[in-house]
Amino acid sequence: MSQLSTKHLLGIKNLTEEDIQLILDTAANFKEVINRPIKKVPSLRDITIANVFFENSTRTRLSFELAEKRLSADVINFSSSNSSVKKGETLVDTVNNILSMKVDMVVMRHSSPGAPHFLSRNVNANIINAGDGTHEHPTQALLDAFSIKEKLGDVAGKKVAIIGDILHSRVALSNIFCLQKLGAEVMVCGPITLLPKYIASLGVKVELDVKKALQWCDVANVLRIQLERQQIKYFPSLREYSLYYGINKKLLSQLDKEIVIMHPGPINRGVELSSDVADSEHSIILEQVQNGVAIRMAVLYLLAGAKG
Protein backbone atom coordinates (compact mmCIF):
# COMPACT_ATOMS: atom_id res chain seq x y z
CA MET A 1 0.00 0.00 0.00
CA SER A 2 1.53 3.34 -1.05
CA GLN A 3 -1.49 5.66 -0.77
CA LEU A 4 -3.81 6.67 2.05
CA SER A 5 -7.43 5.53 1.95
CA THR A 6 -8.58 9.13 2.58
CA LYS A 7 -7.87 12.58 1.09
CA HIS A 8 -8.12 14.27 4.50
CA LEU A 9 -6.62 13.71 7.95
CA LEU A 10 -9.59 14.53 10.17
CA GLY A 11 -8.94 12.09 13.00
CA ILE A 12 -7.34 8.75 13.84
CA LYS A 13 -10.84 7.23 14.01
CA ASN A 14 -11.10 7.67 10.21
CA LEU A 15 -7.80 5.88 9.47
CA THR A 16 -7.18 2.17 8.93
CA GLU A 17 -4.27 0.33 10.54
CA GLU A 18 -2.68 0.22 7.05
CA ASP A 19 -2.96 4.03 6.79
CA ILE A 20 -1.23 4.45 10.16
CA GLN A 21 1.57 2.03 9.27
CA LEU A 22 2.10 3.80 5.93
CA ILE A 23 2.40 7.17 7.70
CA LEU A 24 4.87 5.75 10.27
CA ASP A 25 7.00 4.08 7.56
CA THR A 26 7.02 7.26 5.45
CA ALA A 27 7.93 9.32 8.53
CA ALA A 28 10.94 7.04 9.16
CA ASN A 29 12.25 7.96 5.69
CA PHE A 30 11.67 11.67 6.31
CA LYS A 31 13.38 11.48 9.72
CA GLU A 32 16.52 10.41 7.88
CA VAL A 33 16.08 13.39 5.53
CA ILE A 34 15.79 15.99 8.31
CA ASN A 35 18.97 14.69 9.95
CA ARG A 36 21.02 15.28 6.78
CA PRO A 37 23.16 18.41 6.38
CA ILE A 38 20.78 19.53 3.60
CA LYS A 39 17.33 18.99 5.10
CA LYS A 40 15.13 20.01 2.16
CA VAL A 41 13.50 17.85 -0.53
CA PRO A 42 11.44 19.09 -3.53
CA SER A 43 8.48 16.73 -2.93
CA LEU A 44 5.78 19.46 -2.63
CA ARG A 45 7.39 22.14 -4.79
CA ASP A 46 4.13 22.88 -6.68
CA ILE A 47 1.84 22.75 -3.61
CA THR A 48 0.58 25.72 -1.59
CA ILE A 49 -0.47 25.07 2.02
CA ALA A 50 -2.43 27.37 4.35
CA ASN A 51 -1.98 27.05 8.11
CA VAL A 52 -5.30 28.30 9.48
CA PHE A 53 -5.20 28.54 13.27
CA PHE A 54 -8.22 29.74 15.26
CA GLU A 55 -6.55 28.77 18.56
CA ASN A 56 -3.14 29.51 20.05
CA SER A 57 -0.38 27.08 19.17
CA THR A 58 3.41 27.01 19.34
CA ARG A 59 4.77 23.49 18.79
CA THR A 60 2.10 22.27 16.35
CA ARG A 61 2.10 25.40 14.16
CA LEU A 62 5.90 25.62 14.04
CA SER A 63 6.18 21.88 13.40
CA PHE A 64 3.72 22.00 10.49
CA GLU A 65 5.38 25.10 9.03
CA LEU A 66 8.83 23.53 9.25
CA ALA A 67 7.53 20.27 7.71
CA GLU A 68 6.00 22.22 4.82
CA LYS A 69 9.20 24.15 4.18
CA ARG A 70 11.33 21.01 4.39
CA LEU A 71 9.11 19.63 1.56
CA SER A 72 9.56 22.85 -0.48
CA ALA A 73 5.86 23.79 -0.33
CA ASP A 74 4.70 27.42 -0.50
CA VAL A 75 3.29 28.36 2.91
CA ILE A 76 0.82 31.00 4.07
CA ASN A 77 -0.06 31.51 7.74
CA PHE A 78 -3.44 32.70 8.96
CA SER A 79 -4.29 33.73 12.51
CA SER A 80 -7.88 34.49 13.47
CA SER A 81 -6.83 37.13 16.02
CA ASN A 82 -6.06 39.69 13.29
CA SER A 83 -8.43 38.55 10.53
CA SER A 84 -11.91 39.23 9.16
CA VAL A 85 -13.27 36.51 11.48
CA LYS A 86 -13.32 39.28 14.08
CA LYS A 87 -15.73 41.16 11.75
CA GLY A 88 -18.19 38.25 11.60
CA GLU A 89 -16.94 36.27 8.59
CA THR A 90 -17.92 32.57 8.64
CA LEU A 91 -15.45 29.70 8.72
CA VAL A 92 -16.40 28.50 5.21
CA ASP A 93 -16.16 32.02 3.75
CA THR A 94 -12.78 32.57 5.39
CA VAL A 95 -11.33 29.33 4.02
CA ASN A 96 -12.92 29.74 0.56
CA ASN A 97 -11.33 33.18 0.31
CA ILE A 98 -7.97 31.61 1.10
CA LEU A 99 -8.58 28.80 -1.42
CA SER A 100 -9.51 31.29 -4.16
CA MET A 101 -5.82 32.26 -4.05
CA LYS A 102 -5.12 28.73 -5.38
CA VAL A 103 -4.24 27.03 -2.10
CA ASP A 104 -4.12 23.20 -2.27
CA MET A 105 -4.15 22.10 1.36
CA VAL A 106 -5.42 23.52 4.66
CA VAL A 107 -3.96 22.71 8.08
CA MET A 108 -6.54 23.85 10.63
CA ARG A 109 -6.81 24.18 14.40
CA HIS A 110 -10.19 25.20 15.78
CA SER A 111 -11.85 25.31 19.20
CA SER A 112 -15.04 23.60 17.96
CA PRO A 113 -15.05 19.78 17.78
CA GLY A 114 -15.88 18.64 14.24
CA ALA A 115 -14.82 21.90 12.53
CA PRO A 116 -12.35 20.14 10.15
CA HIS A 117 -15.01 17.54 9.25
CA PHE A 118 -17.48 20.32 8.45
CA LEU A 119 -14.87 22.10 6.35
CA SER A 120 -13.95 18.94 4.42
CA ARG A 121 -17.56 18.64 3.24
CA ASN A 122 -17.78 22.29 2.17
CA VAL A 123 -14.48 23.22 0.49
CA ASN A 124 -12.39 21.67 -2.27
CA ALA A 125 -9.01 21.05 -0.61
CA ASN A 126 -7.19 18.50 1.52
CA ILE A 127 -7.94 19.24 5.19
CA ILE A 128 -5.55 18.31 8.00
CA ASN A 129 -6.87 18.54 11.54
CA ALA A 130 -4.26 20.18 13.80
CA GLY A 131 -6.62 19.87 16.79
CA ASP A 132 -10.37 20.47 17.08
CA GLY A 133 -11.47 21.45 20.58
CA THR A 134 -11.46 18.51 22.98
CA HIS A 135 -12.08 16.04 20.14
CA GLU A 136 -8.97 14.85 18.26
CA HIS A 137 -5.35 15.75 17.51
CA PRO A 138 -4.33 13.09 14.99
CA THR A 139 -0.75 14.13 14.18
CA GLN A 140 0.11 14.19 17.91
CA ALA A 141 -1.11 10.59 18.28
CA LEU A 142 0.86 9.54 15.19
CA LEU A 143 4.08 11.13 16.46
CA ASP A 144 3.53 9.55 19.88
CA ALA A 145 3.12 6.11 18.27
CA PHE A 146 6.20 6.73 16.11
CA SER A 147 8.21 7.72 19.22
CA ILE A 148 7.12 4.58 21.11
CA LYS A 149 8.03 2.39 18.12
CA GLU A 150 11.41 4.10 17.81
CA LYS A 151 12.19 3.69 21.52
CA LEU A 152 10.77 0.20 22.20
CA GLY A 153 10.91 -1.43 18.74
CA ASP A 154 7.15 -1.86 18.33
CA VAL A 155 3.81 -0.57 19.58
CA ALA A 156 1.94 -3.90 19.49
CA GLY A 157 1.77 -5.58 22.88
CA LYS A 158 3.03 -2.53 24.80
CA LYS A 159 1.16 -1.14 27.80
CA VAL A 160 0.58 2.61 27.63
CA ALA A 161 -0.90 4.65 30.48
CA ILE A 162 -2.35 8.07 29.63
CA ILE A 163 -2.26 10.08 32.85
CA GLY A 164 -3.86 13.43 33.69
CA ASP A 165 -6.70 15.56 32.34
CA ILE A 166 -8.40 13.01 30.05
CA LEU A 167 -11.72 14.89 30.03
CA HIS A 168 -10.44 18.00 28.23
CA SER A 169 -7.70 16.36 26.15
CA ARG A 170 -7.88 15.87 22.36
CA VAL A 171 -4.51 14.10 22.62
CA ALA A 172 -5.99 11.36 24.83
CA LEU A 173 -8.77 10.37 22.41
CA SER A 174 -6.51 10.29 19.34
CA ASN A 175 -3.89 8.31 21.27
CA ILE A 176 -6.45 5.75 22.42
CA PHE A 177 -7.66 5.16 18.84
CA CYS A 178 -4.13 5.04 17.42
CA LEU A 179 -2.57 2.78 20.05
CA GLN A 180 -5.47 0.32 19.95
CA LYS A 181 -5.31 0.08 16.14
CA LEU A 182 -1.60 -0.72 16.45
CA GLY A 183 -2.21 -3.46 19.06
CA ALA A 184 -1.22 -1.74 22.31
CA GLU A 185 -3.05 -2.00 25.65
CA VAL A 186 -4.24 1.37 26.95
CA MET A 187 -5.01 2.55 30.47
CA VAL A 188 -6.25 6.01 31.50
CA CYS A 189 -5.50 7.40 34.94
CA GLY A 190 -6.52 10.60 36.68
CA PRO A 191 -8.92 12.05 39.24
CA ILE A 192 -12.40 10.68 38.65
CA THR A 193 -13.63 14.23 37.95
CA LEU A 194 -11.23 14.40 34.97
CA LEU A 195 -12.24 11.05 33.44
CA PRO A 196 -15.13 11.10 30.91
CA LYS A 197 -18.10 8.95 31.90
CA TYR A 198 -17.97 6.95 28.66
CA ILE A 199 -14.22 6.25 28.76
CA ALA A 200 -14.44 2.54 29.70
CA SER A 201 -16.65 1.91 26.64
CA LEU A 202 -13.61 2.68 24.45
CA GLY A 203 -12.01 -0.55 25.64
CA VAL A 204 -9.42 1.03 27.95
CA LYS A 205 -8.53 0.15 31.53
CA VAL A 206 -9.39 2.81 34.11
CA GLU A 207 -7.18 3.44 37.15
CA LEU A 208 -7.44 6.14 39.84
CA ASP A 209 -4.11 5.38 41.58
CA VAL A 210 -1.13 6.81 39.67
CA LYS A 211 1.35 4.44 41.38
CA LYS A 212 -0.59 1.38 40.15
CA ALA A 213 -0.80 2.89 36.64
CA LEU A 214 2.96 3.46 36.52
CA GLN A 215 3.67 -0.05 37.82
CA TRP A 216 1.41 -1.50 35.07
CA CYS A 217 2.71 0.42 32.08
CA ASP A 218 5.72 0.37 29.77
CA VAL A 219 5.05 3.97 28.69
CA ALA A 220 3.44 6.83 30.62
CA ASN A 221 2.05 9.61 28.41
CA VAL A 222 1.46 12.45 30.86
CA LEU A 223 -1.03 15.19 29.98
CA ARG A 224 -1.17 18.70 31.38
CA ILE A 225 -4.10 20.14 33.30
CA GLN A 226 -5.99 22.24 30.75
CA LEU A 227 -7.16 25.06 32.99
CA GLU A 228 -8.17 27.18 29.96
CA ARG A 229 -10.87 24.63 29.06
CA GLN A 230 -12.22 24.14 32.58
CA GLN A 231 -15.38 26.10 33.38
CA ILE A 232 -15.66 24.73 36.93
CA LYS A 233 -13.19 23.44 39.55
CA TYR A 234 -12.48 19.72 39.06
CA PHE A 235 -10.04 19.43 42.01
CA PRO A 236 -9.22 21.62 45.04
CA SER A 237 -5.88 23.05 43.89
CA LEU A 238 -2.87 22.44 41.59
CA ARG A 239 -0.83 21.66 44.71
CA GLU A 240 -3.21 18.88 45.69
CA TYR A 241 -3.30 17.54 42.11
CA SER A 242 0.50 17.47 42.07
CA LEU A 243 0.55 15.68 45.42
CA TYR A 244 -1.69 12.83 44.20
CA TYR A 245 -0.98 12.69 40.44
CA GLY A 246 2.33 14.49 39.91
CA ILE A 247 5.15 12.20 38.72
CA ASN A 248 8.56 12.76 40.31
CA LYS A 249 11.89 10.92 40.53
CA LYS A 250 11.02 9.42 43.93
CA LEU A 251 7.85 7.86 42.51
CA LEU A 252 9.73 6.35 39.54
CA SER A 253 12.46 4.96 41.82
CA GLN A 254 9.81 2.95 43.70
CA LEU A 255 8.91 0.99 40.54
CA ASP A 256 10.56 -2.38 39.94
CA LYS A 257 11.20 -1.54 36.24
CA GLU A 258 12.19 1.30 33.91
CA ILE A 259 9.39 3.07 32.06
CA VAL A 260 9.33 5.65 29.26
CA ILE A 261 7.94 9.13 30.04
CA MET A 262 6.17 11.12 27.31
CA HIS A 263 4.38 14.50 27.28
CA PRO A 264 2.70 16.32 24.35
CA GLY A 265 3.68 19.73 25.78
CA PRO A 266 3.56 22.33 27.04
CA ILE A 267 4.73 20.93 30.39
CA ASN A 268 3.52 22.48 33.63
CA ARG A 269 6.70 21.71 35.57
CA GLY A 270 6.05 20.90 39.19
CA VAL A 271 2.41 19.99 38.49
CA GLU A 272 2.10 16.85 36.34
CA LEU A 273 5.86 16.29 35.99
CA SER A 274 8.79 17.38 38.13
CA SER A 275 11.82 18.80 36.29
CA ASP A 276 14.03 15.88 37.36
CA VAL A 277 11.64 13.52 35.49
CA ALA A 278 11.00 15.75 32.46
CA ASP A 279 14.76 16.11 31.89
CA SER A 280 15.71 12.55 32.89
CA GLU A 281 16.92 9.57 30.85
CA HIS A 282 13.35 8.17 31.14
CA SER A 283 11.96 11.07 29.09
CA ILE A 284 11.62 11.13 25.28
CA ILE A 285 9.79 14.48 25.23
CA LEU A 286 12.28 16.27 22.95
CA GLU A 287 12.41 13.23 20.65
CA GLN A 288 8.62 13.58 20.31
CA VAL A 289 9.08 17.17 19.10
CA GLN A 290 11.64 16.12 16.50
CA ASN A 291 9.49 13.19 15.39
CA GLY A 292 6.55 15.59 14.98
CA VAL A 293 8.27 17.24 12.01
CA ALA A 294 8.88 13.86 10.32
CA ILE A 295 5.29 12.70 10.94
CA ARG A 296 3.83 15.94 9.56
CA MET A 297 6.10 15.73 6.51
CA ALA A 298 4.77 12.19 5.92
CA VAL A 299 1.11 13.27 6.28
CA LEU A 300 1.52 16.25 3.93
CA TYR A 301 3.40 14.18 1.35
CA LEU A 302 0.88 11.31 1.37
CA LEU A 303 -2.18 13.59 1.25
CA ALA A 304 -0.66 15.54 -1.65
CA GLY A 305 -0.63 12.23 -3.52
CA ALA A 306 -4.31 11.63 -2.61
CA LYS A 307 -5.68 14.81 -4.17
CA GLY A 308 -8.92 14.66 -6.13
Side-chain angles (χ1 to χ4, degrees):
M1 180 180 165
S2 60
Q3 198 170 14
L4 295 176
S5 63
T6 174
K7 60 172 284 194
H8 308 289
L9 180 62
L10 303 176
I12 299 297
K13 195 173 184 179
N14 306 90
L15 298 181
T16 64
E17 184 189 342
E18 291 75 23
D19 287 331
I20 295 170
Q21 291 290 2
L22 177 60
I23 293 169
L24 299 186
D25 293 344
T26 307
N29 294 329
F30 281 127
K31 176 130 191 216
E32 187 266 320
V33 168
I34 61 177
N35 282 298
R36 293 178 193 166
I38 298 172
K39 301 173 177 64
K40 212 163 188 178
V41 289
S43 307
L44 299 188
R45 194 170 46 199
D46 301 322
I47 300 291
T48 303
I49 303 171
N51 297 316
V52 181
F53 279 68
F54 292 88
E55 269 192 329
N56 293 337
S57 172
T58 303
R59 265 158 311 279
T60 302
R61 184 174 53 79
L62 289 177
S63 183
F64 266 112
E65 189 172 347
L66 190 57
E68 291 151 6
K69 289 178 176 177
R70 291 279 186 259
L71 292 166
S72 304
D74 293 320
V75 180
I76 58 173
N77 290 308
F78 167 93
S79 171
S80 64
S81 60
N82 50 9
S83 73
S84 293
V85 171
K86 293 286 183 187
K87 302 173 187 175
E89 188 172 59
T90 68
L91 173 61
V92 172
D93 283 343
T94 297
V95 176
N96 271 328
N97 273 284
I98 294 169
L99 295 181
S100 68
M101 301 175 204
K102 303 305 176 190
V103 169
D104 303 288
M105 304 173 77
V106 176
V107 176
M108 186 174 81
R109 169 167 288 188
H110 202 282
S111 59
S112 298
H117 303 70
F118 170 76
L119 202 61
S120 70
R121 294 191 296 270
N122 287 279
V123 302
N124 184 29
N126 301 94
I127 307 297
I128 299 172
N129 180 4
D132 59 329
T134 56
H135 182 224
E136 277 218 53
H137 191 352
T139 55
Q140 182 68 48
L142 290 164
L143 75 89
D144 288 347
F146 184 87
S147 301
I148 292 170
K149 186 176 181 180
E150 189 177 61
K151 180 73 175 178
L152 300 180
D154 201 357
V155 179
K158 299 298 182 286
K159 295 178 177 178
V160 182
I162 303 172
I163 300 170
D165 186 357
I166 311 297
L167 183 64
H168 300 97
S169 174
R170 51 186 165 222
V171 174
L173 193 57
S174 286
N175 259 277
I176 289 167
F177 290 145
C178 189
L179 292 167
Q180 287 178 336
K181 288 184 181 190
L182 293 174
E185 288 184 69
V186 184
M187 173 185 283
V188 295
C189 174
I192 197 161
T193 53
L194 292 176
L195 297 177
K197 291 177 183 176
Y198 65 83
I199 198 73
S201 68
L202 294 179
V204 300
K205 298 178 186 294
V206 179
E207 179 58 67
L208 301 180
D209 186 331
V210 73
K211 292 177 186 174
K212 289 179 182 175
L214 293 173
Q215 186 60 54
W216 174 85
C217 72
D218 301 308
V219 179
N221 197 347
V222 187
L223 308 178
R224 72 183 176 90
I225 297 298
Q226 302 206 23
L227 294 173
E228 74 277 11
R229 298 189 191 279
Q230 297 181 11
Q231 307 300 320
I232 59 172
K233 279 184 89 70
Y234 289 88
F235 47 87
S237 67
L238 286 177
R239 184 173 177 275
E240 183 154 329
Y241 178 87
S242 179
L243 200 62
Y244 285 94
Y245 288 95
I247 297 171
N248 53 42
K249 202 78 172 193
K250 182 182 175 186
L251 193 55
L252 293 184
S253 68
Q254 293 170 2
L255 306 179
D256 56 19
K257 60 178 181 178
E258 296 259 308
I259 65 168
V260 177
I261 298 292
M262 302 174 71
H263 195 300
I267 305 169
N268 290 322
R269 288 175 181 260
V271 181
E272 68 267 12
L273 281 181
S274 63
S275 286
D276 56 6
V277 171
D279 302 328
S280 72
E281 68 282 359
H282 296 279
S283 164
I284 59 168
I285 294 169
L286 292 179
E287 285 87 340
Q288 288 174 264
V289 177
Q290 185 184 142
N291 290 338
V293 178
I295 281 288
R296 288 167 180 128
M297 287 175 76
V299 167
L300 292 162
Y301 173 77
L302 291 166
L303 286 178
K307 283 188 72 61

